[in-house]
Amino acid sequence: MHQRSVHNFIWVPITLIGLIAVAIGLISILNPEPWMLDKASNELIIGLSFEELFSSKSNKGLPIYIKTLYRFFGVWLISFGMLIFAYIRVTRLATYRAQESIYSVLIITLVSLFYMTFTLLPISQLKTVLVIMTFLLGISMYFSRKLI
C-alpha cells in the first residue's frame, strides 16, 4: 500500500473520533431535553421516571439544572473534539511521538468511558458510540505500524 494511503488511515480515523465528539456535544447543547436522549439508562439510575421526578414541587428547577449540566458536558465534548482537530492539524500525526501521544490520551479516555458506561449506564446507547470510536482508534493504531 502506498505510504500516503497508509498515513491517511492514521489521521482520518482520529479526525472522525473528534468529529463524533463534536457532534455529540452539539446534540447535548442544542437538545431542549437532553436527558431524554438516554432516557432508559437515566431512569434506571435514578429509579424514577422523569415525569415522577419533575412532578414534585421541590424539583421545580431540576430540569434547568440538568439542562445546564448537559450543556457543560456538550461544551467539554466540543472542546475535546476541537483539540483533536488542532493536534492533528499541527502534527499531521506524522511522527511516532505524535501518534503515541494522541493514542495514549484516547486509550485512557475510552477505557474510562467504557468503565463508567458498563458499570453506571448498563443499558446506555453510548456503548455503540464507544465501540465505533474504539474501532476507529484501532484502525489508526494498526496503520501506524505499517508506516515506514
Side-chain angles (χ1 to χ4, degrees):
M1 184 179 277
H2 191 272
Q3 290 298 296
R4 184 176 175 109
S5 297
V6 170
H7 186 252
N8 288 341
F9 277 109
I10 294 171
W11 71 267
V12 170
I14 303 301
T15 302
L16 291 174
I17 291 172
L19 186 63
I20 291 169
V22 169
I24 294 172
L26 285 171
I27 290 168
S28 295
I29 289 173
L30 299 175
N31 193 302
E33 293 181 331
W35 55 87
M36 298 300 273
L37 295 171
D38 208 7
K39 181 182 177 185
S41 184
N42 288 334
E43 288 180 345
L44 179 68
I45 290 171
I46 60 177
L48 295 169
S49 71
F50 283 109
E51 293 78 24
E52 293 172 293
L53 184 65
F54 295 153
S55 67
S56 172
K57 195 173 191 174
S58 63
N59 291 339
K60 180 179 70 170
L62 193 57
I64 295 168
Y65 177 74
I66 294 173
K67 190 182 290 188
T68 302
L69 289 176
Y70 271 93
R71 286 187 176 152
F72 274 111
F73 175 66
V75 168
W76 177 83
L77 280 171
I78 291 169
S79 299
F80 184 71
M82 289 175 24
L83 282 170
I84 289 173
F85 296 156
Y87 188 77
I88 289 171
R89 185 165 190 256
V90 170
T91 67
R92 298 282 185 210
L93 295 182
T95 66
Y96 182 72
R97 187 173 187 180
Q99 294 164 13
E100 291 302 312
S101 296
I102 195 76
Y103 294 158
S104 298
V105 169
L106 289 174
I107 288 169
I108 290 168
T109 302
L110 287 172
V111 166
S112 300
L113 289 172
F114 265 109
Y115 173 76
M116 289 181 1
T117 301
F118 279 88
T119 57
L120 302 174
L121 309 167
I123 59 172
S124 177
Q125 301 166 353
L126 287 175
K127 288 180 184 179
T128 305
V129 174
L130 290 175
V131 168
I132 291 168
M133 291 173 117
T134 303
F135 178 71
L136 291 168
L137 177 60
I139 289 171
S140 181
M141 292 176 75
Y142 173 79
F143 280 97
S144 73
R145 303 296 177 240
K146 301 290 181 189
L147 198 60
I148 297 175

